[in-house]
C-alpha cells in the first residue's frame, strides 16, 4: 500500500492540515489538523526514525553538502562529560532544539577556524575613522 502525503498551511500560519490519500483507493483520504507542537513532535519522531535507519551507515562528508544556514536562533555552549568535550546547542527553526557534541579536538578545530574568520573580518574592515 502506498499513499500520498500533503500538507496545507492555514492562512494565519498557526496550524497545518496533513492529508493522506491512498493511491490504491484515490477516493479514500484522511485529513488531520496539526498544531505547531504536533508538527514539532512529528519532525522529531521522523528524525529519530531516520537516525535509526542510518545507525549502521557511515557519516557522509560534509564538504559539498547542501544545507540552509540558521541565522536567527539562540544558542548555548556547555561541557559534555562523556567525551570531555563541549555541546553546542541551538534552536533550529525546522527541527527545534539541536545539540552537537564537539570532542576536544573538534573544539580546538572550531576555535582555530573562528579565530581565522575573526582575523579575516578585521583585515577586510579597517577601524572606521582610522587615518590612512
Amino acid at each position: 500500500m502506498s499513499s500520498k502525503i500533503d500538507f496545507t498551511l492555514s492562512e494565519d500560519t498557526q496550524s497545518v492540515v496533513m492529508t493522506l490519500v491512498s493511491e490504491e483507493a484515490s477516493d479514500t483520504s484522511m485529513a488531520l489538523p496539526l498544531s505547531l507542537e504536533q508538527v514539532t513532535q512529528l519532525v522529531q519522531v521522523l528524525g529519530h526514525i531516520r537516525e535509526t535507519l542510518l545507525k549502521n551507515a557511515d557519516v557522509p562528508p560534509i564538504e559539498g553538502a547542501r544545507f540552509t544556514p540558521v541565522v536567527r536562533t539562540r544558542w548555548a555552549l556547555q561541557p559534555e562529560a562523556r567525551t570531555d568535550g563541549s555541546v553546542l546547542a541551538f534552536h533550529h527553526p525546522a527541527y527545534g532544539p539541536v545539540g552537537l557534541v564537539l570532542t576536544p579536538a573538534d573544539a580546538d578545530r572550531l576555535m582555530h577556524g573562528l579565530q581565522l574568520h575573526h582575523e579575516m573580518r578585521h583585515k577586510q574592515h579597517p577601524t572606521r575613522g582610522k587615518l590612512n
Side-chain angles (χ1 to χ4, degrees):
M1 178 181 175
S2 61
S3 63
K4 178 185 170 203
I5 303 172
D6 187 38
F7 293 90
T8 305
L9 188 61
S10 66
E11 285 187 32
D12 65 1
T13 69
Q14 298 303 302
S15 64
V16 66
V17 174
M18 179 174 67
T19 305
L20 303 170
V21 179
S22 170
E23 291 184 1
E24 284 79 26
S26 59
D27 60 337
T28 305
S29 68
M30 180 176 77
L32 183 62
L34 300 171
S35 66
L36 173 60
E37 182 179 325
Q38 291 168 318
V39 170
T40 301
Q41 290 172 351
L42 179 61
V43 168
Q44 290 171 343
V45 166
L46 290 173
H48 287 298
I49 291 169
R50 184 176 192 280
E51 181 180 23
T52 301
L53 291 170
L54 293 172
K55 73 179 176 183
N56 295 323
D58 291 336
V59 177
I62 193 70
E63 294 79 9
R66 291 181 155 204
F67 61 90
T68 303
V70 176
V71 177
R72 189 173 162 255
T73 188
R74 295 197 185 274
W75 61 272
L77 187 65
Q78 63 190 41
E80 202 284 319
R82 288 180 302 150
T83 63
D84 199 29
S86 302
V87 174
L88 175 60
F90 62 96
H91 282 282
H92 192 289
Y95 309 111
V98 176
L100 169 66
V101 174
L102 298 166
T103 64
D106 288 336
D108 290 345
R109 218 173 113 206
L110 177 61
M111 284 188 302
H112 179 72
L114 289 172
Q115 184 62 39
L116 288 174
H117 294 175
H118 177 77
E119 290 171 11
M120 287 170 37
R121 280 192 313 274
H122 285 282
K123 287 179 183 174
Q124 291 175 354
H125 303 291
T127 306
R128 293 179 194 260
K130 181 180 175 183
L131 298 176
N132 290 331

